[in-house]
Amino acid sequence: MTSPPVNAETPASTEAPPVSDPLLRIRGLAVDYRTGREWTPAVRGVDLHVEPGEFVSLVGESGSGKTTLIQGALGLLPAAARIRSGSIAYSDVDVTGWNDRRMALVRGNYVGFIPQDPNTSLNPVKRVGQQVIEAVRFNRPRGTPAARYREAALESLRTAGLTDTERVFHQYPHELSGGMKQRALIAIALAGRPRIIVADEPTSALDVTVQKRILDHLVRLRAELGIGILLVTHDLGIALERSDRILVMRRGEIVEEGPVERVVAGATSEYTRRLLDAAPSRHAGRLTADSAVRPQPRPGAVALRAEGLSKTYRLRNRAVLRALDTADLTVREGTTHAIVGESGAGKSTLAGILAGFVAADHGTVHLGERRLTGLPRKRLRELRKDLQFVFQNPFTSLDPRFTVRRLIAEPLRAFGLPAGDRVTELLAAVALDGSYLDRLPSQLSGGQRQRVAIARALALAPRVLILDEAVSALDVSVQAQILRLLVDLQAERGLSYVFVTHDLGVVRLIADDVTVMRSGAVVETGPAEQILTAPRHEYTRQLLDAVPGALV
């Protein structure tokens, strides 16, 4: 482990810095972005430090300045950004203003960086071993034998928690699971034997069980190697469960800092208290509607029923992938039925068949008493007015060229129905006023875009909404707003929801019934309270154990 070099020509010293020096200290850092001819502040006078062996979490929503702060600390700011003031020091060596060549000697052999998305961070045309070797070679003295590079790369893969490293070494990224790809990024970050790891949302795209394994491993590395860890996340549950200290960032400033126990027991910032209140793992019970009037479902009435659904896909190598295996599902009228499971469980395939987007090989789907499967396309289109879909990412599901007015009116016009005041009424139903009607999706926040997507789905007055990971891409406070909106709409309109998610914390807030899926099969189904408090299947227990924060 090395200290930062003092110049670009001399090699990094092998002498460990004094224990009293923080591994990273940022003082009064201010970063601006150029917008036209002006500079706009993104980070405003931030102080931050990480001690040896310490786990620190930097928490904040999208746009809070977290990523800009980390980019500044690593010397990775884009050309349109500048450090206006402040200092950055590693083990008391001030690196503020260092050029990329000098900072390259710090990155890797002193600070390891784990980016968010392994799908974009790993080179898809290079084997994993080659990519780890490149990191090893960069951080080892010149002239080191090639065999040593290979040995060091394999050791780094083992340290990152990968088994069967010889096989992984020769595989391409697309041949690895999401968790394995993230561990490969950890191996690259560890290749230079760093003193500190900076991890930028390293688990946000992973299933809850894979997320737990990755975080457990980072904690073990801290204990075994004395590495300091700075975790950047919007997931307050993870930060509360894993950290020694938490820093809460908002609008470019640190608004709260302290040990976890102190922040939970006595947060001084109103914003921090709102984040704590919005975190799913902090809620003790199900959300209830604000509306006092709730349409009463008919006793025993079923809104949507699927029986014996199966689906297989034939891959290019002629292998057969069984995506769904004789799945059954019953959605009671006026209730929320959650479908949970990891990636590859078959959740989205099931949702696609229910919505009529995917044709099942076998089985039937009924909307109320009406059969959907096997209908002519024209008849199925008519029935779809009663069954609408809300996608995960509203930025890609909303046409970027359409205004909000046109987006909401589109399904009405498609069925020859008048739009008129109906668009404004639908917008009001999702708590947006008329000032948004002429905006484009790019002029809306993530939460506002999802509200527009929900308003569009409600345009034809459906009986059933299928929501496929509809809140997983949202910040925790925006997620709480959308969940509250869904609960209120259900109470006002008697809607039935199929809610596809991997987040059991969210399930506890809104679900009446739960179906747990694994490898294309239903392993458990029943009332939410029973599934969450007394699961029968070991896989369900594993999912519950992996949720950050206690499910109480």
Side-chain angles (χ1 to χ4, degrees), residues 123-145:
N123 190 328
V125 299
K126 284 188 176 181
R127 298 182 193 273
V128 171
Q130 289 177 277
Q131 299 185 58
V132 182
I133 281 179
E134 288 175 358
V136 171
R137 182 181 289 118
F138 184 82
N139 293 292
R140 294 291 193 278
R142 291 182 181 179
T144 301

Side-chain angles (χ1 to χ4, degrees), residues 425-502:
E425 293 170 3
L426 288 164
L427 202 59
V430 296
L432 293 176
D433 60 45
S435 65
Y436 292 90
L437 285 170
D438 296 317
R439 297 191 191 184
L440 296 170
S442 61
Q443 297 170 310
L444 305 176
S445 69
Q448 289 166 348
R449 284 194 290 266
Q450 196 61 292
R451 287 172 187 265
V452 171
I454 293 170
R456 183 177 63 173
L458 294 174
L460 298 172
R463 293 172 53 194
V464 179
L465 282 186
I466 300 174
L467 303 110
D468 190 2
E469 298 280 8
V471 298
S472 64
L474 304 177
D475 291 320
V476 62
S477 60
V478 180
Q479 179 186 91
Q481 294 166 12
I482 297 298
L483 292 176
R484 166 62 63 188
L485 171 67
L486 291 173
V487 169
D488 288 342
L489 287 171
Q490 185 175 60
E492 294 166 6
R493 298 166 181 247
L495 293 168
S496 305
Y497 295 143
V498 177
F499 197 90
V500 180
T501 183
H502 66 271

Side-chain angles (χ1 to χ4, degrees), residues 257-301:
E257 178 181 1
V260 171
E261 296 80 6
R262 204 276 296 161
V263 171
V264 171
T268 58
S269 165
E270 175 61 28
Y271 176 70
T272 305
R273 290 194 289 271
R274 288 207 304 270
L275 288 183
L276 288 168
D277 290 341
S281 61
R282 302 276 301 165
H283 285 271
R286 195 177 188 276
L287 290 177
T288 56
D290 290 334
S291 173
V293 179
R294 179 170 184 169
Q296 294 300 311
R298 294 168 296 163

Side-chain angles (χ1 to χ4, degrees), residues 293-313:
V293 179
R294 179 170 184 169
Q296 294 300 311
R298 294 168 296 163
V302 173
L304 188 67
R305 183 175 74 256
E307 295 177 333
L309 294 181
S310 297
K311 180 67 179 178
T312 57
Y313 293 97

Side-chain angles (χ1 to χ4, degrees), residues 62-369:
S62 299
S64 63
K66 306 187 305 295
T67 297
T68 298
L69 176 63
I70 296 307
Q71 289 175 337
L74 296 172
L76 296 174
L77 284 171
R82 69 176 183 185
I83 294 178
R84 174 163 41 88
S85 60
S87 64
I88 304 160
Y90 290 99
S91 288
D92 213 27
V93 176
D94 192 332
V95 301
T96 314
W98 281 22
N99 60 29
D100 189 64
R101 182 187 175 197
R102 297 181 77 188
M103 282 302 298
L105 298 174
V106 177
R107 297 191 297 263
N109 66 23
Y110 183 84
V111 54
F113 178 53
I114 305 173
Q116 177 174 354
D117 187 359
N119 293 311
T120 58
S121 301
L122 291 171
N123 190 328
V125 299
K126 284 188 176 181
R127 298 182 193 273
V128 171
Q130 289 177 277
Q131 299 185 58
V132 182
I133 281 179
E134 288 175 358
V136 171
R137 182 181 289 118
F138 184 82
N139 293 292
R140 294 291 193 278
R142 291 182 181 179
T144 301
R148 291 281 183 87
Y149 290 141
R150 190 177 189 282
E151 291 171 8
L154 287 169
E155 178 60 29
S156 190
L157 288 168
R158 283 190 290 269
T159 305
L162 285 162
T163 57
D164 197 4
T165 52
E166 282 286 352
R167 179 177 61 83
V168 173
F169 186 91
H170 292 287
Q171 287 182 307
Y172 289 95
H174 73 271
E175 297 177 296
L176 304 180
S177 68
M180 293 174 73
K181 282 186 281 194
Q182 195 61 275
R183 287 174 188 266
L185 286 181
I186 293 174
I188 291 171
L190 293 172
R193 292 173 289 184
R195 296 291 312 281
I196 180 173
I197 287 178
V198 176
D200 187 7
E201 299 276 10
T203 62
S204 62
L206 301 178
D207 294 318
V208 64
T209 52
V210 180
Q211 171 183 274
K212 183 178 186 299
R213 289 195 291 269
I214 295 295
L215 293 171
D216 285 347
H217 192 68
L218 287 177
V219 170
R220 282 196 295 272
L221 289 175
R222 176 184 72 155
E224 294 169 4
L225 305 178
I227 291 174
I229 295 174
L230 176 59
L231 175 69
V232 181
T233 182
H234 69 270
D235 192 325
L236 196 59
I238 289 176
L240 294 174
E241 185 176 73
R242 302 287 179 165
S243 310
D244 300 309
R245 281 190 299 117
I246 291 178
L247 291 87
V248 180
M249 197 167 184
R250 186 192 189 201
R251 296 177 182 173
E253 299 179 327
I254 301 296
V255 297
E256 189 92 41
E257 178 181 1
V260 171
E261 296 80 6
R262 204 276 296 161
V263 171
V264 171
T268 58
S269 165
E270 175 61 28
Y271 176 70
T272 305
R273 290 194 289 271
R274 288 207 304 270
L275 288 183
L276 288 168
D277 290 341
S281 61
R282 302 276 301 165
H283 285 271
R286 195 177 188 276
L287 290 177
T288 56
D290 290 334
S291 173
V293 179
R294 179 170 184 169
Q296 294 300 311
R298 294 168 296 163
V302 173
L304 188 67
R305 183 175 74 256
E307 295 177 333
L309 294 181
S310 297
K311 180 67 179 178
T312 57
Y313 293 97
R314 189 168 295 279
L315 307 181
R316 288 184 179 180
N317 61 2
R318 297 186 179 181
V320 174
L321 173 65
R322 186 172 292 278
L324 205 60
D325 188 8
T326 58
D328 297 335
L329 184 79
T330 300
V331 182
R332 295 181 292 124
E333 189 176 279
T335 68
T336 298
H337 194 118
I339 304 174
V340 302
E342 298 175 292
S343 296
K347 306 187 303 295
S348 292
T349 299
L350 176 56
I353 292 174
L354 295 176
F357 300 153
V358 178
D361 296 336
H362 304 284
T364 60
V365 177
H366 284 80
L367 180 63
E369 299 299 323

